Amino acid sequence: MSEAQTISSESGVARDLTAFQQNILVILAEEPMYGLAIKRNLESYYGTEVNHGRLYPNLDDLVEMDLVEKSELDKRTNQYELTDDGLQAVLDRFNWMLSKFVTDSERGEMVSELIDAQL
C-alpha cells in the first residue's frame, strides 16, 4: 500500500485502508470525478496541497482493490468512480464509527441532527 495501514478495528476491507484512502472513497461517494477534482476536494478538506505523488498511487491501490473503477474520459484524463465494494467500504467505516460514537440517546440525537441538516 502507498501509506501506512491505520485502521484496524472495523470489519471488511475498510480496516486495511489508510485515512487518506478512506477520504478518497468518501469524496467519490458524492459522484464520479477525475483526478484533479479529487485532488481539489482533498486539498479543501486538509487545507494544504496534496501531492500528485501521493494521490495517484493511492487511487491505483483503490482500483487494484476493486473499490474504485478507473475509466478514460480522454487521452489525458481518467475518471474514478466508486464500485459497489467501495460503497460498502464507506458504509462499513460509518457503521464502525457510529458504533463507537453513539453511546447514548443524546449522541444518537446529535448524529440524527447532522443527518437532517444534510437532507
Side-chain angles (χ1 to χ4, degrees):
M1 301 209 116
S2 299
E3 296 196 9
Q5 297 184 355
T6 58
I7 302 166
S8 60
S9 300
E10 61 195 82
S11 64
V13 70
R15 77 175 137 229
D16 295 328
L17 300 176
T18 65
F20 187 76
Q21 290 168 330
Q22 288 281 346
N23 292 337
I24 291 171
L25 293 181
V26 169
I27 288 168
L28 289 174
E30 183 178 15
E31 65 182 348
M33 294 183 191
Y34 59 98
L36 189 56
I38 297 167
K39 182 179 182 295
R40 287 181 185 145
N41 272 274
L42 289 166
E43 289 173 341
S44 175
Y45 177 72
Y46 289 118
T48 188
E49 183 179 353
V50 172
N51 195 319
H52 283 37
R54 181 179 186 198
L55 175 61
Y56 290 100
N58 277 283
L59 281 168
D60 290 340
D61 287 345
L62 293 170
V63 169
E64 285 180 29
M65 289 185 268
D66 295 321
L67 301 175
V68 171
E69 185 176 283
K70 178 179 174 180
S71 60
E72 193 175 279
L73 286 177
D74 59 43
K75 291 187 187 271
R76 293 189 53 198
T77 307
N78 292 314
Q79 178 168 285
Y80 299 88
E81 183 172 356
L82 211 55
T83 64
D84 290 342
D85 288 344
L87 177 60
Q88 189 60 54
V90 172
L91 291 172
D92 288 347
R93 177 71 174 156
F94 284 148
N95 184 51
W96 180 79
M97 291 173 67
L98 287 172
S99 75
K100 302 301 179 196
F101 181 78
V102 179
T103 57
D104 57 32
S105 60
E106 183 177 332
R107 285 191 172 187
E109 183 60 34
M110 292 169 74
V111 171
S112 292
E113 289 173 7
L114 287 173
I115 293 169
D116 289 344
Q118 296 300 314
L119 301 176

